[in-house]
Amino acid sequence: MKSDKRGKHWFRNLLRYMRFPLCAFVVLGMLSAVGILIMRATLLQNAYETGTALARSCAAEERGNLNVYQTLLAFGGAALESRLDAEEDSGAVMDFLEMYFVRVETVLGAGVVSPHVVLDGKLLTDEPREGGAAFDYAAAPWYQQALEAKGDVVFTSVYIDAIHGQPVVTAAQSVAAGRAVIAFDILLESLRFETVDINPNSSFFLCDGDGTIIYQETLAPREQLPGYLGGIVEKIRSGELEDRAAIRSLNGERRGVYYAQMDNGWYAIITVPYSEIFYGLQVVIWPLVMMFIISFVAMVGLALRERRLTEKARRVDETSHALGNAYFGLYRIDYERETYEMIKGSEYIRKRIGTLGPYEKLLHAAGDVIDPETYREFSESFSCANIRKLVHQQVKNFGGEFPLWFGNEQRWVSAQLLFDEALPPGEVVLCFREVEEEKQRQKRERRLLEESLQMARQNEDAKQAFFRNMSHDMRTPLNAVLGSCELARQHLEEPERVAGYLDKIDSSGQYLLGLINDILEMARMESGQVRLEQRQFDLKGCVEECMSTFRIQAEKEGKNLVEHFHVRRTSLLGDTFRIQQVLNNLLSNAFKFTPENGTITLSIEQLDNEEYAKYKFVIADTGIGMSAGFLDRIFEPYSREMRFSERQAAGTGLGMSITKNLVSQMGGEIQVESTPGEGSTFTVILPLAAGPEREEEPEKEEPPVSLEGLRLLLAEDNEINMGITTEILSACGAVVLQAWNGEEAVQRFRETEPFSVDAVLMDMQMPVIDGCEAARRIRSLDRPDAAVTPIIAVTANAFSEDIAATSAAGMDAHVSKPIDLGVLRKTLGRLLVRGADRRNDGGQKA
């Protein structure tokens, strides 16, 4: 009995000591499990995106390999059609066909293809067909598909050729409205494809629409592949393999499947073993399991030894911790090669030199923060020549103390040179500080760089098209601006003509501003910087505000604008600015591609009456429509419809991508239907929560203030912007005090009498000190108006993080470049009233 009691007492004591470590162990286990699940989902998503992109790239490359056959068919078809249209005699036509067949063989090589022609109901070929003259070419798939394609080149599925008894595909094209059909029978062994760059354990297949293999790169048994691949194609058709689906390989291995369908119905398919996809996860899991086992054992051991820890062990731990924090830089110096390796460096040094480099470069960087006289002694003492001398003399520890500049503060530091036989020959350690944090940052940067490089390669074609379009779309308005300026100079005595030129300059400038805004908006979305607001708004008022501009445009351009509003609840919660941005983008496109007398329709319908209802927005037009090929990529960045039309596409090709992103962030969906020559219909469905049904008091807006007599301090480092802004403000009656950098702005404000400056217009990016730092220094001045004088940020970066930075620096508002005088006057009107209230309250900032 006593033994049992002792055992229970010991166990209770053990649990008591392990209470908190055990809780931490359980929490850590749960967090690790969640982390593994998240990592697994992330790896699957990354594999899906990478595999799908690679499959599309492979499909595009393989399609390019078929272009030679398509080009030869198109050449022969065009030549034959011209002869048939010219009604040449049959002998001349046959002579041409014989010459054409010879040229095809010359280009492709002997035996690569078997060309034949069906002309006026007769099959013309040099090789006998099964059944001789009775061969029913009209029943052949290639003949039927060519007629259905009406002049486009088609490629059949794989079949066994009756002549060679080997698998072939046939490329065919109808000519002269079906009067003739030219076809090439292509042996599969003659098709040439480039080797696909995939992981050795992965597989690549190119097959026709029935799953017959055309080309393959795989380690799987070849004899079992036809049925296996046919099953994959069947699952693709049925939709079973969409969104990260997986299959079992021939040996039972679980594999991810990624595919892309070519425009001729063939499939490019890539399969990747899950062991490859989750390799990184396995690398993490096993060490994690071992860590948990070791941690549990250690936790039990620590609990048993908790009361037996000695003072000496604690003092050793404290001493080690203190030594670890003693250095701010650690460098390995190879004094024979006269190079350095940065193990850990201060922020100042990291900005100026790399991780590896000539040792002289490190000394020069240190000289920028050391007094000249001290630096001469420092560079001599720590030169490679002196290091060799110290090592030869077996000096283990050499160093000294000197003052070092840290920003605006000078402090004493100690530098030590350590030599030990354990180091490689020719190396010593120069001690400043430890490097782990910097190494981790470099790893993250390298990983981000690799991901960015991969994404850049995937989007290379789209972005090349984007830059070509941007070059055209930006040069066009720039040409209008420069040309109008030149014409205005030539007609300065004709005010009406000059006014017309100024209107063109303004219109072109607004167009350029729109291009830049689209690019910046897309950049914010790609970096995840767009934040949605949830505020109460009236849907009818929101739509009315958006439509007012388009009604004017419709009347001006002679187009019909029709509206249908069927909504039971209009008081909602959401981001009214983003909703209007979506409607503006879609309506602008509708107006752009709808001709005069065409119709644009906006219909809004509430789909249900729940607390969190869905609202359907339909924007339809009777414009030029879009091709089926473009509809598949309309929401991809940088995509534009490039086909012949009286209305050529203009802009960045980002509008629809921005719209798609906004709709997705609001939890909605967007669809598009279009027929060339008939118009397009966009349908957007947004879930919007109900807002309180009550009368809202209208917001009180301060009227625009007159600038007459105001003293404004303008901080701007750009000479042209300073001149233009000063002239505009002066023309409105303001007195402008100029400052050409942030430090000068602080000095000019300090030199004025209290309350003599009505407001400060502060540019953000300036030399010496920037706008935020200048604002902080003004606010910290010991004078009664420093805390209440309005400071307005003038910035070309109107992102939320930039606005937050200006607020944190003590600024009251911001206006974007180029400055809108009306917006500036309204902002000043609001801030000057608030500033007067602050002065009445004793100068305390609200």
Side-chain angles (χ1 to χ4, degrees):
M1 292 294 293
K2 290 182 179 181
S3 176
D4 291 342
K5 289 181 180 180
R6 288 174 182 167
K8 292 179 180 180
H9 179 71
W10 177 87
F11 186 70
R12 281 196 301 269
N13 284 338
L14 179 62
L15 289 180
R16 185 176 65 197
Y17 299 147
M18 294 177 60
R19 182 168 66 245
F20 295 108
L22 188 59
C23 291
F25 184 80
V26 172
V27 171
L28 181 61
M30 295 174 63
L31 291 176
S32 299
V34 172
I36 290 173
L37 292 177
I38 294 175
M39 185 181 298
R40 185 181 187 277
T42 301
L43 290 173
L44 282 175
Q45 181 64 28
N46 290 343
Y48 173 77
E49 295 174 356
T50 303
T52 302
L54 182 58
R56 291 174 179 169
S57 175
C58 293
E61 291 180 5
E62 307 303 1
R63 186 64 182 88
N65 294 327
L66 301 178
N67 283 343
V68 62
Y69 304 103
Q70 184 171 347
T71 302
L72 289 173
L73 279 173
F75 167 78
L80 178 59
E81 186 170 8
S82 66
R83 284 168 169 75
L84 294 178
D85 291 342
E87 298 183 354
E88 292 184 4
D89 58 68
S90 59
V93 173
M94 291 301 297
D95 290 341
F96 160 73
L97 290 176
E98 291 179 3
M99 178 182 65
Y100 173 66
F101 291 162
V102 170
R103 290 184 177 178
V104 168
E105 184 173 340
T106 301
V107 173
L108 299 178
V112 174
V113 300
S114 297
H116 42 277
V117 177
V118 175
L119 177 62
D120 294 331
K122 296 181 179 180
L123 176 65
L124 307 177
T125 179
D126 291 337
E127 297 182 342
R129 312 298 295 182
E130 183 179 11
F135 174 72
D136 186 9
Y137 65 86
W142 56 265
Y143 183 79
Q144 296 175 359
Q145 293 177 21
L147 292 180
E148 292 174 358
K150 297 181 179 180
D152 292 334
V153 175
V154 299
F155 288 83
T156 67
S157 296
V158 179
Y159 64 95
I160 302 301
D161 180 58
I163 297 176
H164 304 90
Q166 296 183 7
V168 299
V169 296
T170 299
Q173 179 186 28
S174 66
V175 177
R179 182 178 172 185
V181 173
I182 301 179
F184 293 165
D185 289 343
I186 310 169
L187 293 173
L188 285 191
E189 64 185 24
S190 299
L191 288 174
R192 299 181 179 91
F193 296 103
E194 297 181 1
T195 301
V196 178
D197 185 14
I198 59 174
N199 187 288
N201 294 324
S202 302
S203 297
F204 170 75
F205 305 97
L206 180 67
C207 63
D208 63 18
D210 298 324
T212 303
I213 298 175
I214 298 173
Y215 175 75
Q216 60 190 356
E217 288 188 21
T218 181
L219 299 177
R222 302 299 175 96
E223 63 276 2
Q224 302 180 32
L225 284 176
Y228 171 69
L229 197 61
I232 294 179
V233 172
E234 184 62 31
K235 290 182 178 180
I236 291 176
R237 288 176 173 175
S238 65
E240 294 181 39
L241 297 182
E242 293 183 358
D243 192 17
R244 299 184 292 176
I247 61 168
R248 294 286 182 181
S249 65
L250 291 172
N251 61 1
E253 181 183 35
R254 192 169 177 81
R255 302 175 76 94
V257 181
Y258 316 103
Y259 61 90
Q261 189 174 21
M262 299 166 58
D263 53 9
N264 64 352
W266 294 5
Y267 290 94
I269 301 173
I270 295 175
T271 68
V272 181
Y274 265 33
S275 59
E276 294 289 338
I277 296 175
F278 294 135
Y279 176 78
L281 187 61
Q282 295 170 358
V283 171
V284 173
I285 288 178
W286 286 111
L288 191 63
V289 171
M290 293 302 298
M291 182 190 73
F292 273 110
I293 294 175
I294 294 172
S295 297
F296 185 79
V297 173
M299 180 180 63
V300 174
L302 289 174
L304 293 173
R305 296 176 57 235
E306 183 177 0
R307 290 191 174 183
R308 298 197 301 267
L309 291 176
T310 65
E311 185 65 22
K312 180 179 179 181
R314 288 194 296 272
R315 292 178 65 83
V316 168
D317 181 67
E318 293 170 356
T319 304
S320 300
H321 186 73
L323 288 174
N325 292 330
Y327 298 103
F328 65 84
L330 288 172
Y331 299 88
R332 294 279 290 270
I333 309 301
D334 189 324
Y335 55 86
E336 297 294 349
R337 298 182 180 180
E338 298 191 2
T339 61
Y340 75 89
E341 177 184 358
M342 182 190 299
I343 307 302
K344 180 181 179 182
S346 67
E347 182 180 358
Y348 170 84
I349 293 294
R350 291 198 305 270
K351 289 181 178 179
R352 284 158 176 77
I353 61 175
T355 305
L356 301 171
Y359 180 57
E360 191 67 23
K361 188 175 182 180
L362 174 61
L363 292 179
H364 284 316
D368 293 339
V369 289
I370 302 175
D371 292 334
E373 184 174 348
T374 304
Y375 175 66
R376 283 193 294 271
E377 183 181 355
F378 173 84
S379 59
E380 292 175 1
S381 300
F382 292 96
S383 66
C384 286
N386 196 50
I387 293 175
R388 295 189 193 98
K389 179 180 178 181
L390 293 171
V391 173
H392 180 72
Q393 295 174 353
Q394 293 293 304
V395 177
K396 302 289 186 178
N397 192 334
F398 172 82
E401 297 180 348
F402 55 90
L404 191 70
W405 285 100
F406 289 83
N408 296 325
E409 181 183 1
Q410 192 178 46
R411 290 181 289 178
W412 286 84
V413 299
S414 175
Q416 289 181 299
L417 199 67
L418 303 179
F419 165 71
D420 193 277
E421 287 78 3
L423 292 171
E427 288 194 16
V428 295
V429 175
L430 182 59
C431 295
F432 293 97
R433 197 161 51 180
E434 203 269 323
V435 76
E436 179 64 23
E437 181 178 348
E438 170 64 13
K439 291 296 184 184
Q440 292 299 328
R441 183 184 65 81
Q442 290 177 352
K443 290 180 181 179
R444 291 194 297 269
E445 289 178 352
R446 184 164 56 252
R447 184 168 59 251
L448 289 174
L449 181 61
E450 291 172 353
E451 294 173 356
S452 299
L453 180 60
Q454 182 181 8
M455 184 175 294
R457 287 173 176 169
Q458 294 172 353
N459 295 333
E460 181 177 359
D461 291 340
K463 289 191 176 181
Q464 286 297 327
F466 162 70
F467 287 123
R468 290 194 298 270
N469 296 334
M470 281 299 298
S471 176
H472 172 271
D473 292 340
M474 296 189 77
R475 289 176 184 269
T476 299
L478 280 173
N479 181 66
V481 170
L482 297 175
S484 297
C485 288
E486 180 63 28
L487 290 172
R489 291 190 188 98
Q490 298 174 9
H491 300 88
L492 294 176
E493 303 302 325
E494 301 176 63
E496 292 185 1
R497 295 185 70 172
V498 171
Y501 296 142
L502 291 177
D503 288 341
K504 292 179 181 178
I505 292 173
D506 180 71
S507 175
S508 299
Q510 292 297 330
Y511 179 78
L512 277 173
L513 183 60
L515 291 180
I516 294 171
N517 286 339
D518 276 353
I519 296 171
L520 293 177
E521 184 74 7
M522 195 63 196
R524 294 180 64 198
M525 288 182 173
E526 289 180 351
S527 61
Q529 294 176 348
V530 174
R531 298 290 184 268
L532 298 178
E533 295 184 351
Q534 289 295 319
R535 294 184 178 179
Q536 182 180 357
F537 72 99
D538 179 71
L539 180 59
K540 190 171 184 62
C542 170
V543 174
E544 178 63 26
E545 182 180 349
C546 178
M547 294 297 290
S548 59
T549 302
F550 289 103
R551 293 194 191 100
I552 298 173
Q553 183 177 350
E555 183 176 353
K556 180 179 179 181
E557 297 178 359
K559 300 173 184 178
N560 302 309
L561 180 59
V562 180
E563 306 169 40
H564 301 289
F565 194 85
H566 303 291
V567 175
R568 294 180 293 279
R569 180 191 294 120
T570 62
S571 179
L572 304 172
L573 293 177
D575 194 324
T576 178
F577 173 77
R578 296 302 180 183
I579 293 174
Q580 288 181 337
Q581 187 176 359
V582 170
L583 295 178
N584 278 328
N585 285 350
L586 296 177
L587 287 169
S588 294
N589 263 13
F591 270 85
K592 183 187 302 183
F593 297 108
T594 299
E596 187 177 358
N597 296 322
T599 300
I600 299 97
T601 304
L602 171 63
S603 301
I604 303 176
E605 179 184 358
Q606 182 175 339
L607 299 182
D608 48 46
N609 199 28
E610 301 296 329
E611 188 68 18
Y612 203 77
K614 290 185 177 181
Y615 293 79
K616 182 167 74 172
F617 303 79
V618 180
I619 296 89
D621 64 68
T622 58
I624 63 175
M626 293 173 281
S627 64
F630 180 66
L631 285 179
D632 294 336
R633 54 187 178 85
I634 184 174
F635 296 118
E636 295 179 3
Y638 319 112
S639 295
R640 301 196 301 185
E641 174 78 291
M642 301 302 291
R643 60 188 175 94
F644 295 105
S645 168
E646 71 276 7
R647 292 177 176 267
Q648 293 300 309
T652 59
L654 299 176
M656 287 298 100
S657 179
I658 292 173
T659 301
K660 170 71 172 178
N661 273 298
L662 289 174
V663 171
S664 298
Q665 288 200 32
M666 289 188 283
E669 54 185 276
I670 182 171
Q671 298 177 345
V672 58
E673 298 177 356
S674 185
T675 302
E678 297 182 9
S680 304
T681 300
F682 287 84
T683 302
V684 176
I685 298 179
L686 296 177
L688 297 170
E693 297 287 349
R694 58 185 179 85
E695 291 293 331
E696 294 291 331
E697 294 185 4
E699 294 185 2
K700 295 181 180 179
E701 294 184 4
E702 295 295 339
V705 70
S706 171
L707 302 183
E708 185 70 35
L710 291 182
R711 283 172 58 87
L712 304 177
L713 173 57
L714 174 61
E716 170 64 66
D717 66 307
N718 184 276
E719 183 176 355
I720 295 177
N721 288 343
M722 175 68 86
I724 292 174
T725 307
T726 299
E727 187 169 348
I728 292 174
L729 296 176
S730 299
C732 295
V735 177
V736 179
L737 305 178
Q738 294 182 340
W740 295 89
N741 56 60
E743 187 174 70
E744 187 175 339
V746 178
Q747 183 63 28
R748 292 299 302 271
F749 185 85
R750 184 186 291 114
E751 293 171 352
T752 62
E753 293 295 327
F755 299 107
S756 63
V757 174
D758 294 292
V760 179
L761 304 182
M762 185 75 73
D763 186 28
M764 288 296 94
Q765 295 182 351
M766 294 185 293
V768 187
I769 62 173
D770 61 22
C772 287
E773 179 61 24
R776 281 191 286 268
R777 294 190 184 183
I778 289 176
R779 292 297 188 213
S780 65
L781 292 177
D782 185 16
R783 49 187 287 168
D785 60 342
V788 297
T789 299
I791 302 179
I792 300 174
V794 181
T795 175
N797 301 330
F799 294 163
S800 58
E801 63 273 15
D802 301 305
I803 298 172
T806 62
S807 299
M811 301 194 201
D812 301 280
H814 79 282
V815 294
S816 300
K817 290 184 178 179
I819 296 177
D820 186 320
L821 187 58
V823 173
L824 177 60
R825 292 175 59 199
K826 289 183 179 179
T827 304
L828 283 172
R830 171 170 54 84
L831 295 180
L832 289 176
V833 171
R834 186 196 301 174
D837 293 340
R838 292 178 183 174
R839 288 195 291 270
N840 294 335
D841 291 340
Q844 296 299 319
K845 186 177 180 180

